[in-house]
Amino acid sequence: MMATNDFLDQAEAILGPRGLTQDPDLVEPWLTDWRGRFHGAALALAQPATTAELSALVALCAQTRVPLVPQGGNSGMSGGATPDETGKSLLVSLRRMNAIRALDRDAMQITAEAGVILENLHHIAELQGLRFPLSLGGKGSATIGGLISTNAGGTQVIRHGSMRALVLGLEAVLADGQILDALVPLKKDNRGFDLKQLLIGSEGTLGIVTAATLRLVPAVADRAVIWAGVPSIAAARGLLLHCQAAEGDALEGFEVMPQHCLDNVVAFLPDARPPLAGQNAWHALIELTASDSDADSLRDRAEAMIADAFEKGLLADAVFASSETQAEKFWQLREIVAPAERAIGPAVQHDVSVPVADMPAFVEAAVPAIEARFPGTRAVAFGHLGDGNIHFHVLAPPGVDGPTWQQGEGKAISREVHDIVVQWRGSISAEHGIGQLKRDELARLGDPVALELMRRVKDALDPHGLLNPGKLI
Amino acid sequence: MMATNDFLDQAEAILGPRGLTQDPDLVEPWLTDWRGRFHGAALALAQPATTAELSALVALCAQTRVPLVPQGGNSGMSGGATPDETGKSLLVSLRRMNAIRALDRDAMQITAEAGVILENLHHIAELQGLRFPLSLGGKGSATIGGLISTNAGGTQVIRHGSMRALVLGLEAVLADGQILDALVPLKKDNRGFDLKQLLIGSEGTLGIVTAATLRLVPAVADRAVIWAGVPSIAAARGLLLHCQAAEGDALEGFEVMPQHCLDNVVAFLPDARPPLAGQNAWHALIELTASDSDADSLRDRAEAMIADAFEKGLLADAVFASSETQAEKFWQLREIVAPAERAIGPAVQHDVSVPVADMPAFVEAAVPAIEARFPGTRAVAFGHLGDGNIHFHVLAPPGVDGPTWQQGEGKAISREVHDIVVQWRGSISAEHGIGQLKRDELARLGDPVALELMRRVKDALDPHGLLNPGKLI
């Protein structure tokens, strides 16, 4: 390995003075993940402006065996973009690469560089009467590259799929600095292994995504947003099946939460009101959308769908958002669940999935099992029932010291939750990825055959282990 | 390598007497691909009955370094399931593994073994009021395993995607005999690399697919089938965009062919009649489907869509199929294009894709270029415009000897067609795969970076090169 100063000189020669810094004031903010769980150190912060610059930089790193940690908006949930504490890695921010390279309105496709921020992509699509149908809480900071590398999800997956389904083409820099150019959006291409899908969700361990061609969809011309009360999560699943059968092509969201989640939100948010008058064991937030402006038709169909559900005894109560403002308020109740919970006290969070059909039984088994095993805790399940993906949070007993509890009982709880998930043939990471947060749990619980395959692929594509070391596997 | 007889004895001990044969009468029919282009030899024909049997067999092959050639219905288009001529490979048929392991009607999922024939899967889904939305000419012989290994397409890809989009879970035997069990259908799962997608479309070179959990969709309750005449393929693309904007969620097929294709079909098929009275440079076959039985609604919407297209000058003439029988006749005209062409004389076929937006310009450039370069030939483009996937066939000059022409000028034509496709940033295999037919062309024209990545993945997963040797890469 060459001397650090020589390396930095060469890196600066590639990137220019704007592209490389060791200034602690500039580097430090990016060394901690946004949940504040992981803190690392870095040799420097590299900010390439072009794919060619990144390619030359990675080739230099390969030659000199300097590890790289790619980073987008630094809003990941699993510490996947935070370097380790050795300070030997180069932190590589893709944020300067934020150009829109192409937009084809007819084909409904956009080619965006990795550093484009999700919210900006939304605005650019809107200006063309289109939309990019993936959104999540961190949209103001999350970048396209990060969203692809983590195969991000959100609340619209039920209709449009996760990032994996929205990437039509990809450009990436590989471990030796070579550029894989697969940006051209071919709807059908059977020329061998799907390298694009291999890179998506690989958390920067196989290559660094530099640009992507993404699928856009028509803008929403109208939507019907419904808040429904149901007696159980099994009933919520029954209602989901009903809605899918009646309006599968239009069903864009189906989120659930238990009554006490809603109570927390209402207590937390000054002007929030529960949408329904009475109490219901579970609540479902349902959205149908239409891209044409035949507004009466969507509302009529949604009303028929709900009336039919009433007749079939599939729900206890339901109300339609009467305006866009009210629709936003319904969604705010869902989005504020996590912040409202954080205000109550410390918790450990799990992002798990099981087959959709098993989700009610899983929740009904796992919640009491955890609460019985860890007295004083409260287990909360909410989220994307339509995707079989629940955020399973366990709140600490009142009065404990948060960090101490999280490091002790919290870890035991997480192991127990993950054990139950595996018994149900589920995933310990539905949408947040593995990063460093769940790496050891994946090693403990993952299918050994799958883990060995992943290890082999990793070694084949990054033989010196320089791409995002210590993450995922 | 152990003596062949020892190997066969051990293989028979694993598979039982029904599971292994060297009888030429039984083996010979499977040694030629259905297009009759490739003929090979095999040590024996193995027909495992279970995943466990196949696992033990592959472990034996790994230990003794015996290559395996997996085969489903032997109806592939690229010779991917035909062994080479050395006779050193074991031909492994998955046809005995044809059980339906599970069917969840509510979840609209079916778990089928690799040997289930596509047409049988269609019938089983139909009995539940559901359907498997992928179909193709070889449905009476093509198996689920083969369709997955080649990422098969068909005429419904525009709405439902290719096989890649329909596989929710997968089971496969790897090169060392280990079983990868990823059958559980999780809609969201971010535990690392997508091994399932890596295996799909890998043509048996990375593992042997033994079962899959597949997505079903509601049965078609109603459809509107339209035959439209347009003045150019560019006009056909304009009509496609119009239909997608108006009825994107319902648009299930959009096929095109030039007038002389239709003329051939009408001349070939005794009772066929052209749907439209006049001549049109190009024809489009359009299908909309609905899963609810509100039949008037679909027909009304389809008529509005076409009336609107007329007003906008997007088509010259159009007719609706007035009955299911007529709808079937319209589709028959499309399906008979290839047989009708074969009756005219020898040809070389190419299955290519370019970005959908570029397809009209590609066809308008490539057809005259090929006909000018190879006097007496006739270039024909037809197929899946909605997917940017055209079957580009070049008919021999009248009077030539077929096989001689195919081996001589035919090969030069194929190289020329593929060169043009690459200039247009397209794929030389949109849906038929690489197999042995296009292996050398992929090596000649593929992106060297992608080819190197594929080679590395192949070496990592199959270090002794025993899985389907000589195919793809």
Side-chain angles (χ1 to χ4, degrees):
Chain A
M1 189 173 176
M2 76 170 73
T4 300
N5 283 346
D6 285 354
F7 169 80
L8 292 174
D9 286 348
Q10 292 194 32
E12 189 172 330
I14 292 166
L15 300 169
R18 281 190 63 201
L20 191 77
T21 180
Q22 288 189 289
D23 182 343
D25 288 346
L26 297 176
V27 181
E28 187 63 29
W30 306 103
L31 295 175
T32 302
D33 78 306
W34 86 274
R35 274 181 161 178
R37 292 190 181 192
F38 300 100
H39 184 76
L43 208 55
L45 171 65
Q47 302 196 82
T50 65
T51 302
E53 280 186 11
L54 180 63
S55 169
L57 178 71
V58 176
L60 173 67
C61 288
Q63 187 195 330
T64 54
R65 303 285 193 267
V66 172
L68 300 110
V69 177
Q71 190 179 79
N74 194 29
S75 46
M77 306 292 270
S78 304
T82 308
D84 64 24
E85 292 165 352
T86 63
K88 290 183 178 168
S89 302
L90 185 65
L91 186 60
V92 182
S93 165
L94 277 292
R95 286 180 295 275
R96 269 179 82 200
M97 291 183 57
N98 61 0
I100 301 296
R101 292 197 195 159
L103 196 160
D104 184 334
R105 188 176 170 170
D106 284 344
M108 297 196 283
Q109 293 166 351
I110 189 166
T111 302
E113 290 186 341
V116 170
I117 290 171
L118 179 56
E119 201 165 42
N120 293 345
L121 189 76
H122 288 161
H123 291 319
I124 291 160
E126 272 165 31
L127 291 174
Q128 304 290 331
L130 299 170
R131 68 182 169 125
F132 181 64
L134 183 142
S135 193
L136 36 70
K139 65 185 174 185
S141 57
T143 61
I144 295 309
L147 294 162
I148 291 172
S149 299
T150 57
N151 184 28
T155 56
Q156 297 160 304
V157 173
I158 189 171
R159 181 167 182 191
H160 301 287
S162 61
M163 207 66 190
R164 202 176 279 295
L166 299 171
V167 175
L168 305 173
L170 197 71
E171 179 190 84
V173 172
L174 305 173
D176 57 3
Q178 289 197 88
I179 298 166
L180 178 73
D181 178 359
L183 271 181
V184 176
L186 298 172
K187 286 200 171 186
K188 285 183 178 171
D189 183 11
N190 275 348
R191 287 175 296 175
F193 314 154
D194 194 337
L195 301 171
K196 189 178 72 191
Q197 291 296 346
L198 186 59
L199 285 163
I200 298 171
S202 69
E203 304 188 8
T205 64
L206 299 180
I208 303 176
V209 173
T210 49
T213 303
L214 303 167
R215 185 162 75 88
L216 301 176
V217 300
V220 172
D222 190 29
R223 63 174 175 170
V225 178
I226 303 141
W227 193 280
V230 287
S232 67
I233 187 167
R237 153 90 168 141
L239 182 59
L240 168 68
L241 288 172
H242 171 78
C243 295
Q244 284 178 318
E247 292 294 340
D249 286 342
L251 185 64
E252 178 132 342
F254 198 104
E255 301 284 310
V256 297
M257 68 178 75
Q259 176 71 44
H260 62 84
C261 255
L262 180 60
D263 293 341
N264 285 345
V265 171
V266 171
F268 175 76
L269 207 64
D271 59 348
R273 291 194 313 187
L276 301 174
Q279 299 262 311
N280 292 278
W282 284 82
H283 295 261
L285 174 58
I286 307 162
E287 176 165 313
L288 305 184
T289 66
S291 58
D292 53 40
S293 49
D294 190 2
D296 291 345
S297 157
L298 182 73
R299 177 69 186 235
D300 289 352
R301 281 157 43 208
E303 284 181 357
M305 175 183 88
I306 293 297
D308 194 23
F310 263 118
E311 272 176 36
K312 290 176 178 163
L314 292 172
L315 48 75
D317 197 4
V319 60
F320 277 71
S322 59
S323 64
E324 261 304 297
T325 308
Q326 201 179 12
E328 285 299 318
K329 285 195 170 173
F330 282 8
W331 272 106
Q332 193 185 29
L333 296 174
R334 164 64 185 86
E335 281 152 15
I336 228 79
V337 167
E341 184 191 285
R342 276 197 290 275
I344 297 175
V348 282
Q349 293 92 12
H350 313 90
D351 157 51
V352 305
S353 63
V354 297
V356 185
D358 295 338
M359 186 51 87
F362 167 78
V363 170
E364 283 166 1
V367 168
I370 292 294
E371 291 178 348
R373 173 91 187 259
F374 301 96
T377 62
R378 174 140 212 198
V380 184
F382 66 95
H384 321 298
L385 180 65
D387 310 319
N389 171 206
I390 287 288
H391 299 298
F392 193 96
H393 293 186
V394 183
L395 280 63
V400 302
D401 173 65
T404 310
W405 178 81
Q406 277 163 337
Q407 287 304 311
E409 188 173 66
K411 289 210 165 177
I413 290 171
S414 290
R415 281 192 295 273
E416 183 76 15
V417 170
H418 291 160
D419 285 346
I420 297 173
V421 168
V422 169
Q423 287 161 24
W424 284 81
R425 309 176 304 157
S427 169
I428 64 167
S429 178
E431 57 177 9
H432 293 168
I434 298 297
Q436 42 189 314
L437 179 69
K438 294 183 183 171
R439 188 195 55 200
D440 295 344
E441 282 293 83
L442 181 63
R444 183 172 75 89
L445 295 170
D447 170 20
V449 177
L451 289 174
E452 185 189 327
L453 273 192
M454 284 199 258
R455 170 56 64 192
R456 286 190 191 191
V457 170
K458 167 71 177 174
D459 290 345
L461 268 57
D462 179 21
H464 304 300
L466 298 178
L467 291 178
N468 214 5
K471 313 293 163 53
L472 215 175
I473 46 173
Chain B
M1 190 170 177
M2 77 169 70
T4 300
N5 283 345
D6 286 352
F7 169 79
L8 292 173
D9 286 348
Q10 292 194 32
E12 188 173 332
I14 291 166
L15 300 170
R18 280 191 63 202
L20 191 78
T21 181
Q22 288 188 285
D23 182 342
D25 289 347
L26 297 176
V27 181
E28 188 63 26
W30 306 105
L31 295 176
T32 302
D33 77 307
W34 87 273
R35 276 182 160 179
R37 294 193 180 189
F38 301 100
H39 183 76
L43 208 55
L45 171 66
Q47 303 196 79
T50 65
T51 303
E53 280 186 11
L54 179 63
S55 168
L57 178 71
V58 176
L60 173 66
C61 288
Q63 187 195 329
T64 55
R65 303 284 193 269
V66 172
L68 299 110
V69 177
Q71 191 179 79
N74 195 30
S75 46
M77 306 291 271
S78 304
T82 307
D84 64 24
E85 291 165 354
T86 63
K88 290 183 177 168
S89 302
L90 185 66
L91 186 60
V92 182
S93 166
L94 278 291
R95 287 181 293 274
R96 268 179 83 201
M97 291 184 57
N98 61 0
I100 300 295
R101 292 198 193 157
L103 195 161
D104 184 334
R105 187 176 169 170
D106 284 345
M108 297 197 283
Q109 293 166 350
I110 189 165
T111 302
E113 289 187 343
V116 171
I117 289 170
L118 180 57
E119 200 164 44
N120 293 344
L121 188 77
H122 288 162
H123 291 320
I124 291 160
E126 273 166 28
L127 291 173
Q128 303 292 329
L130 298 171
R131 68 181 169 125
F132 181 65
L134 184 142
S135 192
L136 36 72
K139 65 185 174 183
S141 58
T143 62
I144 295 307
L147 294 164
I148 292 173
S149 299
T150 56
N151 184 30
T155 56
Q156 296 160 306
V157 172
I158 189 172
R159 180 167 182 191
H160 300 288
S162 62
M163 207 64 190
R164 203 175 279 294
L166 298 170
V167 175
L168 306 173
L170 197 72
E171 181 189 83
V173 172
L174 305 174
D176 58 3
Q178 289 198 86
I179 298 166
L180 178 72
D181 178 0
L183 270 181
V184 175
L186 298 173
K187 287 201 170 185
K188 284 185 182 171
D189 184 9
N190 276 348
R191 286 175 297 174
F193 314 153
D194 195 336
L195 300 170
K196 190 178 72 192
Q197 291 296 348
L198 187 60
L199 286 163
I200 298 170
S202 68
E203 304 188 9
T205 63
L206 300 179
I208 303 175
V209 173
T210 50
T213 303
L214 302 167
R215 185 161 75 88
L216 302 175
V217 301
V220 171
D222 190 29
R223 64 172 173 169
V225 177
I226 303 141
W227 193 282
V230 287
S232 67
I233 187 167
R237 153 91 169 141
L239 182 59
L240 168 67
L241 288 173
H242 171 77
C243 294
Q244 284 178 318
E247 292 294 339
D249 287 342
L251 185 66
E252 179 133 341
F254 197 104
E255 301 284 310
V256 297
M257 68 177 75
Q259 177 71 43
H260 62 86
C261 253
L262 180 60
D263 292 341
N264 284 344
V265 171
V266 171
F268 175 76
L269 206 66
D271 58 349
R273 290 195 313 189
L276 300 173
Q279 299 262 312
N280 292 277
W282 284 83
H283 295 261
L285 174 57
I286 306 163
E287 177 165 312
L288 305 184
T289 67
S291 58
D292 54 38
S293 48
D294 189 1
D296 291 343
S297 158
L298 182 74
R299 177 70 187 233
D300 290 350
R301 281 160 40 209
E303 285 182 355
M305 177 183 85
I306 293 297
D308 194 22
F310 263 118
E311 273 178 34
K312 290 178 177 162
L314 292 171
L315 47 76
D317 195 4
V319 59
F320 277 71
S322 60
S323 65
E324 260 305 298
T325 308
Q326 202 180 9
E328 286 298 319
K329 286 196 170 171
F330 282 9
W331 271 105
Q332 194 185 28
L333 296 175
R334 163 67 184 84
E335 280 151 15
I336 229 79
V337 168
E341 183 190 285
R342 276 196 291 275
I344 298 177
V348 282
Q349 292 91 14
H350 313 91
D351 156 49
V352 304
S353 63
V354 297
V356 185
D358 295 337
M359 186 51 88
F362 166 79
V363 170
E364 284 167 1
V367 168
I370 292 294
E371 291 177 348
R373 173 90 187 258
F374 300 96
T377 62
R378 174 140 211 199
V380 184
F382 67 94
H384 322 299
L385 181 64
D387 309 320
N389 171 205
I390 287 288
H391 299 299
F392 193 97
H393 294 187
V394 182
L395 280 65
V400 302
D401 173 64
T404 309
W405 177 82
Q406 276 163 337
Q407 287 305 310
E409 187 172 67
K411 288 209 167 180
I413 290 171
S414 291
R415 280 193 297 273
E416 183 75 14
V417 170
H418 291 160
D419 285 346
I420 297 174
V421 167
V422 169
Q423 285 161 25
W424 285 81
R425 308 175 306 157
S427 170
I428 64 166
S429 177
E431 59 176 9
H432 294 167
I434 298 297
Q436 44 189 311
L437 178 69
K438 295 184 185 170
R439 190 195 52 199
D440 296 344
E441 282 293 85
L442 180 62
R444 182 173 75 88
L445 294 171
D447 170 20
V449 177
L451 289 173
E452 185 190 326
L453 273 191
M454 285 198 257
R455 171 54 64 193
R456 286 191 189 190
V457 169
K458 167 72 175 173
D459 289 346
L461 267 56
D462 179 21
H464 304 301
L466 299 176
L467 291 177
N468 213 6
K471 313 294 163 52
L472 214 174
I473 45 174

